[in-house]
Amino acid sequence: PPRAAFGTADIVARQDEIPTGPFDLITVFGVIHHVPSEARRIALVRSLAERLAPGGTLAVAFWRVEGDDGRRRVDWSHVDDVDESELEIGDRLQTFDGRLELLRYTHFANDAELDRIGEAPGLPLSGRFEADGGSGVANAYLLWTRPGTE
C-alpha cells in the first residue's frame, strides 16, 4: 500500500526505537515468541498499543503450548549461563531445522498468559482466535482496536 512503511529496530531492548506513530495498523507476527519473559512481552504489547491511532488495530501472533510438538526441543544444558529457575512455563530451547549449532529461545503461550496479555494494553480486545498447524491451534492471534474519535 502507498502509505505502508517498513523498518527495523530492536523492539525488545530499545522500545524507544519504535516509531511513535500514530499507526492505523501494527502487526507483530513471528516476533513475540522470541521475547524472553512475560513482563517484557506485556511491556512490548503495551508500548505498541500506545502507538495506535484512534480506530487503529494491533494484531499479535503467539505460539501456543498446544502447537508445541517438541520435535525441535532440546535441553537447556546446550547453552551456558542459563539459570533454569528463571525460566517460565512455556519457555523452550529449540533447534532451527534440527541443527544443534542453530539454537533459539522460544516461548509458547498458554491460555492464562494470553488472558493476562489480552488485558495488558487497556484497550478493548476486538478479536482472539487460534489457527495454523495440523491441530489448527498452533498459533493464537490477539487483536486490539483503539476506540475511534467521536
Side-chain angles (χ1 to χ4, degrees):
R3 292 181 47 219
F6 298 90
T8 60
D10 185 344
I11 63 174
V12 176
R14 300 285 320 262
Q15 290 181 16
D16 60 326
E17 290 184 1
I18 303 170
T20 57
F23 298 103
D24 296 324
L25 175 65
I26 300 172
T27 60
V28 181
F29 292 14
V31 174
I32 204 93
H33 57 269
H34 294 300
V35 176
S37 95
E38 182 176 334
R40 282 183 168 178
R41 290 185 288 278
I42 285 173
L44 177 57
V45 167
R46 282 182 179 151
S47 181
L48 293 169
E50 291 170 358
R51 290 159 166 80
L52 286 175
T57 298
L58 169 61
V60 182
F62 297 83
W63 282 6
R64 302 261 304 137
V65 171
E66 289 79 359
D68 180 15
D69 64 13
R71 285 181 293 165
R72 296 182 183 168
R73 188 174 181 181
V74 296
D75 189 83
W76 289 98
S77 64
H78 288 278
V79 292
D80 297 328
D81 300 325
V82 172
D83 182 349
E84 292 189 45
S85 69
E86 294 180 3
L87 298 173
E88 298 175 346
I89 294 171
D91 286 351
R92 308 282 192 269
L93 183 62
Q94 292 188 298
T95 63
F96 190 83
D97 292 336
R99 296 166 38 194
L100 283 175
E101 68 273 15
L102 297 175
L103 297 175
R104 59 189 175 153
Y105 164 88
T106 55
H107 178 78
F108 291 80
N110 61 26
D111 285 334
E113 178 180 355
L114 291 171
D115 289 344
R116 291 187 296 273
I117 291 175
E119 296 175 2
L123 296 176
L125 193 61
S126 56
R128 177 176 169 171
F129 62 94
E130 288 81 29
D132 309 318
S135 64
V137 295
N139 293 307
Y141 297 88
L142 274 61
L143 297 96
W144 297 265
T145 301
R146 179 171 297 288
T149 57
E150 308 219 3

